[in-house]
């Protein structure tokens, strides 16, 4: 048996939900209506029959009074006849009153029964109405929940879209922004006023390998002298310092230099003989076009003498010094 659809048929949220009535609810509604019709019909029929019986009884009593009084009160003196007629009339009136009281009681009983039936029907109709309201509220609640879920899905989709857009934007900025990288570190002789070399110097060249210019670029170089047992992976190395002097503009493919950092001949001798170690720290700070973030690139290397012949310095030759990167302190942001 199929379902019967009544009432509002418009869509609610995205489900197009309509209020559905089961066959049991439909049958109950029809039975309640038929009971009300039958109740009214029975009441009208009974009242018509009762009125007819009362009229017939009244006519019969009038006719009986007319026939019985002459027969009962035919003999006696005029006073006795008058008294007899009076008694018969009073008796007939009392009988009529008793019949009327009985009829009233029967009508009251009938009305009480009808009221009971009507109360039962009303109670059933009230229960049905409450079920209908509950079903409507449930449908409304489900529609609100569907709407809430749809809204949450839309908000989640928007959040995903925004995150994707932000991700794409960051990716594009990362690909297009300026990137400063260490291109080379050169070693040269340091010549005194007397024309003789007194040590060596180091200078690092930074190059913009990005797609857009580097702004406010400035770098520094430090040569750190540490004991032989120093841990290069520890936290004791000098942190980069952002110096705001000598800021430069570096277009894509162009660069800036940092340095020099110098070592004397005595320090070179200590390095060659293992009495000390030297660590070269180089960094550059800069901005890009896409944010106010201050980026930094840094390179850290430990110096080792490959073929250090100090007498070659007097001949104007640059000694060979090996640089080994310290991975912990090499980064770009």
């Amino acid at each position: 048996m199929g379902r019967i659809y009544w009432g509002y048929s418009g869509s609610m949220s995205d489900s197009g939900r309509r209020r559905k009535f089961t066959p049991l609810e439909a049958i109950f509604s029809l039975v309640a209506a038929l009971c009300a019709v039958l109740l009214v019909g029975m009441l009208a029929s009974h009242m018509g029959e009762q009125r007819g019986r009362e009229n017939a009884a009244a006519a019969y009593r009038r006719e009986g009074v007319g026939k019985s009084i002459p027969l009962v009160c035919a003999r006696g003196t005029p006073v006795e006849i008058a008294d007899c007629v009076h008694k018969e009339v009073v008796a007939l009136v009392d009988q009529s009153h008793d019949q009327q009281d009985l009829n009233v009681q029967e009508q009251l009983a009938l009305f009480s029964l009808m009221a009971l039936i009507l109360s039962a029907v009303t109670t059933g109709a009230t229960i049905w109405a409450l079920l209908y309201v509950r079903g409507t509220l449930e449908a409304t609640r489900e529609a609100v929940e569907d709407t809430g879920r749809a809204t949450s899905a839309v908000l989640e989709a928007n959040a995903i879209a925004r995150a994707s857009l932000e991700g794409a934007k960051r990716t594009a900025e990362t690909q297009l922004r300026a990137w400063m990288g260490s291109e080379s570190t050169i070693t040269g002789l340091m010549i005194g006023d007397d024309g003789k070399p007194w040590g060596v110097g180091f200078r690092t060249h930074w190059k913009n390998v990005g797609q857009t210019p580097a702004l406010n670029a400035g770098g520094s170089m430090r040569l750190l002298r540490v004991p032989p047992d120093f841990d290069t992976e520890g936290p004791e190395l000098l942190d980069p310092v952002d110096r705001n002097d000598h800021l430069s503009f570096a277009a894509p493919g162009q660069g800036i230099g940092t340095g020099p950092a110098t070592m004397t001949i005595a320090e070179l001798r200590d390095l060659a003989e293992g009495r000390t170690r030297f660590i070269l720290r180089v960094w550059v700070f800069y901005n890009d076009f896409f944010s106010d973030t201050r980026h930094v690139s840094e390179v850290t290397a430990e110096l080792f003498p490959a073929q250090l012949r100090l007498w070659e310095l007097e001949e104007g030759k640059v000694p060979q010094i090996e640089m080994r990167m310290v991975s912990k302190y090499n980064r770009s942001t």
Side-chain angles (χ1 to χ4, degrees):
M1 185 174 182
R3 292 181 178 271
I4 301 176
Y5 295 90
W6 288 350
Y8 178 73
S9 62
S11 62
M12 299 181 70
S13 76
D14 59 345
S15 61
R17 179 177 288 105
R18 296 181 296 178
R19 172 70 176 105
K20 298 180 180 180
F21 290 86
T22 63
L24 181 61
E25 292 175 336
I27 293 174
F28 181 81
S29 301
L30 293 176
V31 170
L34 290 176
C35 288
V37 173
L38 290 176
L39 181 63
V40 174
M42 292 173 58
L43 182 60
S45 176
H46 178 76
M47 292 180 65
E49 292 178 359
Q50 184 68 22
R51 180 61 64 183
R53 286 196 298 269
E54 290 179 357
N55 293 335
Y60 177 78
R61 286 194 296 270
R62 286 194 301 270
E63 183 180 356
V65 169
K67 293 181 179 180
S68 62
I69 291 178
L71 294 177
V72 175
C73 302
R75 299 176 182 179
T77 63
V79 175
E80 293 176 346
I81 293 173
D83 183 60
C84 179
V85 170
H86 176 72
K87 291 180 179 180
E88 290 294 327
V89 171
V90 171
L92 290 174
V93 170
D94 292 340
Q95 182 180 2
S96 176
H97 288 169
D98 293 340
Q99 184 65 36
Q100 289 178 358
D101 292 341
L102 179 61
N103 292 337
V104 170
Q105 292 176 4
E106 290 179 353
Q107 291 180 359
L108 289 176
L110 179 61
F111 286 146
S112 298
L113 178 61
M114 296 300 179
L116 178 62
I117 296 175
L118 183 60
S119 298
V121 173
T122 304
T123 302
T126 302
I127 294 174
W128 175 83
L130 292 176
L131 292 175
Y132 172 82
V133 172
R134 187 188 69 176
T136 303
L137 293 177
E138 289 179 353
T140 303
R141 178 179 56 81
E142 292 175 0
V144 171
E145 292 177 352
D146 289 345
T147 303
R149 285 191 291 268
T151 302
S152 298
V154 171
L155 293 177
E156 183 177 358
N158 290 339
I160 293 174
R162 285 195 299 269
S164 300
L165 181 60
E166 290 295 329
K169 180 181 177 181
R170 286 193 297 268
T171 300
E173 291 179 356
T174 302
Q175 293 175 347
L176 296 176
R177 54 158 279 199
W179 287 93
M180 296 296 290
S182 174
E183 187 176 29
S184 62
T185 298
I186 58 176
T187 305
L189 291 176
M190 303 300 295
I191 308 298
D193 294 337
D194 56 0
K196 296 180 179 180
W198 57 266
V200 294
F202 305 94
R203 185 176 180 84
T204 299
H205 186 265
W206 297 92
K207 182 179 180 181
N208 182 4
V209 296
Q211 304 298 317
T212 53
L215 309 176
N216 302 320
S220 296
M221 176 179 286
R222 294 289 186 274
L223 187 61
L224 306 178
R225 184 169 183 167
V226 296
D229 60 348
F230 182 78
D231 182 11
T232 56
E233 297 297 330
E236 294 85 359
L237 289 180
L238 179 66
D239 290 332
V241 178
D242 187 6
R243 297 178 58 184
N244 295 323
D245 55 341
H246 306 295
L247 297 181
S248 303
F249 175 91
Q254 297 180 354
I256 63 172
T258 54
T262 61
M263 294 177 63
T264 64
I265 295 177
E267 290 173 334
L268 285 171
R269 185 177 292 108
D270 291 339
L271 176 64
E273 296 176 358
R275 288 192 294 269
T276 188
R277 294 164 61 188
F278 285 91
I279 298 175
L280 185 64
R281 291 273 283 149
V282 190
W283 57 81
V284 62
F285 284 89
Y286 61 97
N287 292 102
D288 61 31
F289 271 111
F290 301 102
S291 69
D292 295 330
T293 302
R294 193 73 170 151
H295 304 290
V296 61
S297 296
E298 56 178 316
V299 174
T300 301
E302 185 173 357
L303 306 182
F304 293 90
Q307 296 179 357
L308 186 57
R309 300 182 179 89
L310 297 181
W311 55 267
E312 292 182 346
L313 291 175
E314 299 178 358
E315 299 178 359
K317 296 181 179 180
V318 179
Q320 297 182 12
I321 299 178
E322 181 183 357
M323 297 184 181
R324 299 177 187 176
M325 296 296 175
V326 181
S327 59
K328 180 179 179 180
Y329 296 96
N330 287 274
R331 66 188 178 101
S332 293
T333 64

